[in-house]
Amino acid sequence: MNPPHIPVLRDAVLEILAPKAGGRYVDGTFGAGGYSEAILNAADCLVWGIDRDPDALSLGRAMVERFAGRLTLIEGNYGAMDRLLEARGVSAVDGVALDIGISSMQVDRAERGFSFRDGPLDMRMSQRGETAADLVNTLPEGALADLIHELGEERFARRIAAAIVRSRPFDRTAELARIVRKAIPSKGDGSGKGDRIDPATRTFQALRIAVNDEIGELKRGLGAAERLLAPGGRLAVVSFHSLEDRPIKLFLQRRSGRAPAGSRHLPESAEPRAPSFRLLTNKPLVAGDVELAANPRARSAKLRAAERSAAPAWPADLAMGEAA
Ligand SMILES: C[S@@+](CC[C@H](N)C(=O)[O-])C[C@H]1O[C@@H](n2cnc3c(N)ncnc32)[C@H](O)[C@@H]1O
Protein backbone atom coordinates (compact mmCIF):
# COMPACT_ATOMS: atom_id res chain seq x y z
CA MET A 1 0.00 0.00 0.00
CA ASN A 2 1.28 3.52 -0.72
CA PRO A 3 2.06 5.65 2.31
CA PRO A 4 -0.98 7.90 2.83
CA HIS A 5 0.92 11.17 2.67
CA ILE A 6 4.60 12.09 2.35
CA PRO A 7 5.15 15.21 4.47
CA VAL A 8 6.49 18.01 2.30
CA LEU A 9 9.55 19.96 3.53
CA ARG A 10 9.26 18.19 6.88
CA ASP A 11 12.94 18.50 7.79
CA ALA A 12 13.03 22.18 6.92
CA VAL A 13 9.90 22.81 9.01
CA LEU A 14 11.47 20.91 11.89
CA GLU A 15 14.66 22.94 11.66
CA ILE A 16 12.63 26.15 11.83
CA LEU A 17 10.54 25.04 14.80
CA ALA A 18 13.55 23.52 16.61
CA PRO A 19 11.33 21.72 19.14
CA LYS A 20 12.56 21.76 22.72
CA ALA A 21 11.70 19.68 25.77
CA GLY A 22 8.64 21.08 27.53
CA GLY A 23 7.73 23.13 24.43
CA ARG A 24 4.19 23.49 23.04
CA TYR A 25 3.48 23.28 19.34
CA VAL A 26 0.49 23.53 17.03
CA ASP A 27 0.26 21.51 13.83
CA GLY A 28 -2.63 23.41 12.25
CA THR A 29 -3.00 21.00 9.32
CA PHE A 30 -2.58 17.59 10.94
CA GLY A 31 -3.46 15.51 7.83
CA ALA A 32 -1.63 12.19 8.17
CA GLY A 33 0.31 13.62 11.10
CA GLY A 34 3.72 13.77 9.40
CA TYR A 35 4.72 17.10 10.96
CA SER A 36 3.24 16.23 14.37
CA GLU A 37 5.13 12.98 14.47
CA ALA A 38 8.41 14.66 13.53
CA ILE A 39 7.96 17.33 16.22
CA LEU A 40 7.06 14.75 18.89
CA ASN A 41 10.07 12.62 17.96
CA ALA A 42 12.43 15.61 18.05
CA ALA A 43 11.85 16.55 21.71
CA ASP A 44 9.83 15.68 24.79
CA CYS A 45 7.21 18.29 23.96
CA LEU A 46 3.44 18.65 23.52
CA VAL A 47 1.60 18.97 20.19
CA TRP A 48 -1.95 20.03 19.38
CA GLY A 49 -2.92 18.74 15.92
CA ILE A 50 -5.83 20.53 14.24
CA ASP A 51 -7.70 19.30 11.18
CA ARG A 52 -11.14 20.11 9.85
CA ASP A 53 -11.42 16.66 8.22
CA PRO A 54 -12.92 14.11 10.63
CA ASP A 55 -11.31 11.27 8.60
CA ALA A 56 -7.82 12.65 9.25
CA LEU A 57 -8.52 12.77 12.98
CA SER A 58 -9.93 9.22 13.04
CA LEU A 59 -6.72 7.95 11.44
CA GLY A 60 -4.69 10.03 13.89
CA ARG A 61 -6.07 8.24 16.96
CA ALA A 62 -3.41 5.55 16.80
CA MET A 63 -0.76 8.27 16.94
CA VAL A 64 -2.44 9.86 19.96
CA GLU A 65 -2.10 6.53 21.77
CA ARG A 66 1.47 6.03 20.64
CA PHE A 67 2.53 9.42 22.07
CA ALA A 68 0.56 8.87 25.26
CA GLY A 69 -0.51 12.23 26.64
CA ARG A 70 1.70 14.34 24.34
CA LEU A 71 -0.54 14.69 21.26
CA THR A 72 -4.02 16.22 21.38
CA LEU A 73 -6.17 16.22 18.25
CA ILE A 74 -8.74 18.94 17.67
CA GLU A 75 -11.40 18.96 14.97
CA GLY A 76 -11.75 22.50 13.69
CA ASN A 77 -10.32 25.25 11.51
CA TYR A 78 -6.76 26.43 12.03
CA GLY A 79 -8.09 29.94 11.36
CA ALA A 80 -9.48 29.74 14.90
CA MET A 81 -6.42 28.06 16.46
CA ASP A 82 -6.05 30.67 19.21
CA ARG A 83 -9.64 30.12 20.35
CA LEU A 84 -9.41 26.32 19.98
CA LEU A 85 -6.28 26.25 22.17
CA GLU A 86 -7.66 28.81 24.64
CA ALA A 87 -10.68 26.53 25.15
CA ARG A 88 -8.18 23.83 26.21
CA GLY A 89 -6.41 26.13 28.66
CA VAL A 90 -3.45 27.01 26.40
CA SER A 91 -2.84 30.72 25.80
CA ALA A 92 0.65 30.64 24.24
CA VAL A 93 2.74 28.19 22.20
CA ASP A 94 6.35 27.93 21.01
CA GLY A 95 5.67 27.01 17.40
CA VAL A 96 2.99 26.77 14.73
CA ALA A 97 3.29 24.74 11.52
CA LEU A 98 0.89 24.99 8.60
CA ASP A 99 0.98 22.81 5.48
CA ILE A 100 -1.74 24.39 3.38
CA GLY A 101 -3.99 22.52 1.01
CA ILE A 102 -5.31 18.99 0.67
CA SER A 103 -3.67 15.75 1.69
CA SER A 104 -2.96 12.74 -0.52
CA MET A 105 -5.53 10.90 1.59
CA GLN A 106 -8.19 13.35 0.42
CA VAL A 107 -7.09 13.38 -3.25
CA ASP A 108 -6.69 9.61 -3.44
CA ARG A 109 -10.27 8.87 -2.36
CA ALA A 110 -12.51 9.39 -5.36
CA GLU A 111 -15.56 9.62 -3.08
CA ARG A 112 -14.22 12.90 -1.60
CA GLY A 113 -14.57 14.53 -5.02
CA PHE A 114 -11.16 16.22 -5.23
CA SER A 115 -9.79 14.22 -8.17
CA PHE A 116 -10.68 13.59 -11.80
CA ARG A 117 -11.48 9.96 -11.04
CA ASP A 118 -15.22 9.74 -11.00
CA GLY A 119 -16.85 10.56 -7.71
CA PRO A 120 -19.41 12.92 -6.23
CA LEU A 121 -18.56 16.58 -6.86
CA ASP A 122 -18.01 17.23 -3.15
CA MET A 123 -14.56 18.71 -2.24
CA ARG A 124 -15.48 19.59 1.35
CA MET A 125 -12.56 19.01 3.71
CA SER A 126 -14.82 19.23 6.75
CA GLN A 127 -17.53 17.09 5.11
CA ARG A 128 -20.00 19.82 6.11
CA GLY A 129 -21.60 22.76 4.29
CA GLU A 130 -21.89 23.57 0.59
CA THR A 131 -20.36 21.14 -1.91
CA ALA A 132 -18.69 21.91 -5.22
CA ALA A 133 -21.84 20.53 -6.88
CA ASP A 134 -23.89 23.15 -5.01
CA LEU A 135 -21.63 25.87 -6.42
CA VAL A 136 -21.60 24.72 -10.06
CA ASN A 137 -25.35 24.13 -10.06
CA THR A 138 -26.48 27.35 -8.38
CA LEU A 139 -24.01 30.18 -8.99
CA PRO A 140 -24.92 32.68 -11.70
CA GLU A 141 -22.71 32.30 -14.78
CA GLY A 142 -20.80 35.55 -14.14
CA ALA A 143 -20.01 34.64 -10.54
CA LEU A 144 -18.87 31.19 -11.62
CA ALA A 145 -16.59 32.71 -14.26
CA ASP A 146 -15.09 35.14 -11.72
CA LEU A 147 -14.49 32.33 -9.26
CA ILE A 148 -12.74 30.14 -11.84
CA HIS A 149 -10.71 33.10 -13.09
CA GLU A 150 -9.61 34.35 -9.66
CA LEU A 151 -9.10 31.14 -7.72
CA GLY A 152 -7.98 28.99 -10.67
CA GLU A 153 -6.07 31.71 -12.55
CA GLU A 154 -7.83 30.23 -15.59
CA ARG A 155 -7.88 32.39 -18.72
CA PHE A 156 -10.74 30.43 -20.29
CA ALA A 157 -12.93 30.96 -17.24
CA ARG A 158 -15.81 32.58 -19.19
CA ARG A 159 -16.05 29.75 -21.72
CA ILE A 160 -15.86 27.17 -18.95
CA ALA A 161 -18.56 28.89 -16.89
CA ALA A 162 -20.83 29.07 -19.96
CA ALA A 163 -20.28 25.37 -20.69
CA ILE A 164 -21.02 24.47 -17.06
CA VAL A 165 -24.24 26.46 -17.09
CA ARG A 166 -25.32 24.78 -20.36
CA SER A 167 -24.67 21.31 -18.91
CA ARG A 168 -26.10 21.67 -15.44
CA PRO A 169 -27.42 20.14 -13.28
CA PHE A 170 -24.67 17.55 -12.78
CA ASP A 171 -22.93 16.22 -9.71
CA ARG A 172 -19.98 14.01 -10.69
CA THR A 173 -16.29 14.98 -10.94
CA ALA A 174 -15.86 13.12 -14.24
CA GLU A 175 -18.67 15.19 -15.75
CA LEU A 176 -17.07 18.43 -14.65
CA ALA A 177 -13.68 17.33 -16.00
CA ARG A 178 -15.23 16.40 -19.35
CA ILE A 179 -17.14 19.69 -19.64
CA VAL A 180 -14.04 21.76 -18.85
CA ARG A 181 -11.78 19.85 -21.25
CA LYS A 182 -14.31 20.31 -24.02
CA ALA A 183 -14.75 24.02 -23.30
CA ILE A 184 -11.03 24.77 -23.66
CA PRO A 185 -9.88 25.32 -27.26
CA SER A 186 -7.79 22.50 -28.69
CA LYS A 187 -4.01 22.30 -28.90
CA GLY A 188 -2.07 24.41 -31.37
CA ASP A 189 -4.09 27.58 -30.85
CA GLY A 190 -2.06 28.80 -27.89
CA SER A 191 -4.54 27.34 -25.45
CA GLY A 192 -3.84 25.38 -22.32
CA LYS A 193 -4.48 22.04 -24.04
CA GLY A 194 -1.32 20.01 -24.44
CA ASP A 195 0.12 21.42 -21.21
CA ARG A 196 1.74 19.09 -18.74
CA ILE A 197 -1.28 19.40 -16.50
CA ASP A 198 -4.84 18.36 -17.24
CA PRO A 199 -6.78 21.39 -18.54
CA ALA A 200 -9.43 20.80 -15.85
CA THR A 201 -6.87 21.20 -13.03
CA ARG A 202 -7.32 24.95 -12.64
CA THR A 203 -11.12 24.74 -12.49
CA PHE A 204 -10.94 21.97 -9.88
CA GLN A 205 -8.49 24.05 -7.87
CA ALA A 206 -10.76 27.08 -7.99
CA LEU A 207 -13.79 25.15 -6.78
CA ARG A 208 -11.80 23.45 -4.02
CA ILE A 209 -10.46 26.78 -2.74
CA ALA A 210 -13.94 28.31 -2.83
CA VAL A 211 -15.73 25.38 -1.18
CA ASN A 212 -13.25 25.42 1.71
CA ASP A 213 -12.70 29.20 1.87
CA GLU A 214 -9.01 28.38 1.83
CA ILE A 215 -7.65 31.89 1.33
CA GLY A 216 -9.91 33.28 4.07
CA GLU A 217 -8.77 30.50 6.39
CA LEU A 218 -5.14 31.21 5.59
CA LYS A 219 -5.49 34.91 6.43
CA ARG A 220 -7.36 34.15 9.65
CA GLY A 221 -4.79 31.49 10.51
CA LEU A 222 -1.84 33.86 10.19
CA GLY A 223 -3.50 36.35 12.55
CA ALA A 224 -4.46 33.57 14.97
CA ALA A 225 -0.86 32.29 15.00
CA GLU A 226 0.39 35.80 15.69
CA ARG A 227 -1.88 36.02 18.75
CA LEU A 228 -1.03 32.54 19.97
CA LEU A 229 2.76 32.49 19.59
CA ALA A 230 4.86 33.37 22.63
CA PRO A 231 7.83 35.75 22.14
CA GLY A 232 10.55 33.70 20.40
CA GLY A 233 7.91 31.25 19.10
CA ARG A 234 8.20 30.32 15.44
CA LEU A 235 5.80 30.13 12.54
CA ALA A 236 6.44 27.87 9.52
CA VAL A 237 4.01 27.93 6.60
CA VAL A 238 4.20 25.69 3.54
CA SER A 239 2.08 26.63 0.53
CA PHE A 240 1.70 25.28 -2.99
CA HIS A 241 0.75 28.11 -5.32
CA SER A 242 1.00 31.84 -5.66
CA LEU A 243 -2.58 32.49 -4.50
CA GLU A 244 -1.56 31.11 -1.11
CA ASP A 245 2.02 32.31 -1.05
CA ARG A 246 1.13 35.94 -1.76
CA PRO A 247 -0.92 36.60 1.41
CA ILE A 248 1.70 34.76 3.52
CA LYS A 249 4.52 36.84 2.06
CA LEU A 250 2.59 40.09 2.49
CA PHE A 251 1.55 39.28 6.05
CA LEU A 252 5.09 38.42 7.15
CA GLN A 253 6.61 41.41 5.37
CA ARG A 254 4.23 43.80 7.04
CA ARG A 255 4.41 42.27 10.48
CA SER A 256 8.21 42.28 10.33
CA GLY A 257 8.34 45.94 9.33
CA ARG A 258 9.45 45.25 5.75
CA ALA A 259 6.42 46.76 4.04
CA PRO A 260 4.28 49.84 4.68
CA ALA A 261 1.62 49.04 7.21
CA GLY A 262 -0.78 51.66 5.85
CA SER A 263 -4.19 50.60 4.65
CA ARG A 264 -7.69 51.95 4.55
CA HIS A 265 -8.22 50.60 8.05
CA LEU A 266 -4.80 51.31 9.49
CA PRO A 267 -3.74 54.71 8.10
CA GLU A 268 -0.02 55.42 7.65
CA SER A 269 -0.36 58.48 9.87
CA ALA A 270 -1.10 56.18 12.81
CA GLU A 271 1.74 55.51 15.27
CA PRO A 272 4.07 52.99 13.59
CA ARG A 273 3.67 49.54 15.11
CA ALA A 274 6.49 47.51 16.55
CA PRO A 275 7.14 44.46 14.37
CA SER A 276 5.44 41.38 15.79
CA PHE A 277 7.65 39.04 13.75
CA ARG A 278 11.26 38.74 12.60
CA LEU A 279 11.59 37.11 9.18
CA LEU A 280 13.60 33.89 9.14
CA THR A 281 13.31 33.39 5.37
CA ASN A 282 13.95 36.33 3.05
CA LYS A 283 13.19 34.04 0.15
CA PRO A 284 10.95 31.01 0.52
CA LEU A 285 12.69 27.69 1.11
CA VAL A 286 11.98 25.02 -1.51
CA ALA A 287 12.52 21.28 -1.73
CA GLY A 288 15.92 19.93 -2.78
CA ASP A 289 16.57 17.34 -5.50
CA VAL A 290 16.43 14.35 -3.15
CA GLU A 291 13.02 15.32 -1.80
CA LEU A 292 11.74 16.14 -5.31
CA ALA A 293 12.77 12.72 -6.58
CA ALA A 294 10.87 11.02 -3.75
CA ASN A 295 7.86 13.32 -3.70
CA PRO A 296 6.69 15.14 -6.84
CA ARG A 297 4.09 17.00 -4.75
CA ALA A 298 6.99 18.98 -3.25
CA ARG A 299 7.69 20.55 -6.66
CA SER A 300 5.77 23.73 -6.05
CA ALA A 301 6.05 23.87 -2.25
CA LYS A 302 7.35 27.04 -0.61
CA LEU A 303 8.19 27.45 3.05
CA ARG A 304 8.14 30.84 4.72
CA ALA A 305 8.99 31.28 8.36
CA ALA A 306 9.23 33.95 11.02
CA GLU A 307 9.92 34.32 14.72
CA ARG A 308 7.49 36.09 17.02
CA SER A 309 8.80 39.19 18.78
CA ALA A 310 7.67 40.41 22.20
CA ALA A 311 5.56 43.18 20.58
CA PRO A 312 1.79 42.90 20.93
CA ALA A 313 -0.11 41.23 18.09
CA TRP A 314 -1.31 43.77 15.54
CA PRO A 315 -5.02 44.34 15.23
CA ALA A 316 -6.55 42.38 12.37
CA ASP A 317 -6.22 44.30 9.11
CA LEU A 318 -9.60 44.07 7.50
CA ALA A 319 -8.24 45.35 4.20
CA MET A 320 -6.09 42.19 4.05
CA GLY A 321 -9.08 39.98 4.72
CA GLU A 322 -7.82 39.13 8.19
CA ALA A 323 -10.26 38.42 10.95
CA ALA A 324 -9.66 38.67 14.67
C1 LIG B 1 -1.39 19.04 3.06
S1 LIG B 1 -2.30 18.23 4.28
C2 LIG B 1 -1.26 18.22 5.68
C3 LIG B 1 -0.32 17.07 5.71
C4 LIG B 1 0.50 16.96 6.98
N1 LIG B 1 1.48 18.02 7.09
C5 LIG B 1 1.19 15.61 7.02
O1 LIG B 1 2.42 15.58 7.11
O2 LIG B 1 0.52 14.60 6.99
C6 LIG B 1 -3.45 19.45 4.75
C7 LIG B 1 -4.44 19.02 5.81
O3 LIG B 1 -4.93 20.20 6.39
C8 LIG B 1 -6.31 20.13 6.52
N2 LIG B 1 -6.80 21.50 6.42
C9 LIG B 1 -6.77 22.30 5.33
N3 LIG B 1 -7.27 23.50 5.63
C10 LIG B 1 -7.61 23.46 6.94
C11 LIG B 1 -8.16 24.42 7.83
N4 LIG B 1 -8.48 25.65 7.43
N5 LIG B 1 -8.35 24.05 9.11
C12 LIG B 1 -8.02 22.81 9.54
N6 LIG B 1 -7.52 21.85 8.73
C13 LIG B 1 -7.30 22.19 7.45
C14 LIG B 1 -6.79 19.23 5.42
O4 LIG B 1 -8.01 18.60 5.79
C15 LIG B 1 -5.63 18.24 5.30
O5 LIG B 1 -5.85 17.10 6.09
Side-chain angles (χ1 to χ4, degrees), residues 140-155:
E141 187 175 322
L144 201 50
D146 290 346
L147 185 157
I148 295 169
H149 177 66
E150 281 162 28
L151 301 181
E153 299 181 310
E154 170 61 73
R155 60 196 160 122

Side-chain angles (χ1 to χ4, degrees), residues 88-111:
R88 284 152 182 88
V90 182
S91 55
V93 299
D94 302 292
V96 171
L98 294 174
D99 179 11
I100 307 300
I102 40 177
S103 69
S104 316
M105 287 191 297
Q106 290 164 331
V107 185
D108 289 348
R109 291 193 188 143
E111 69 271 21

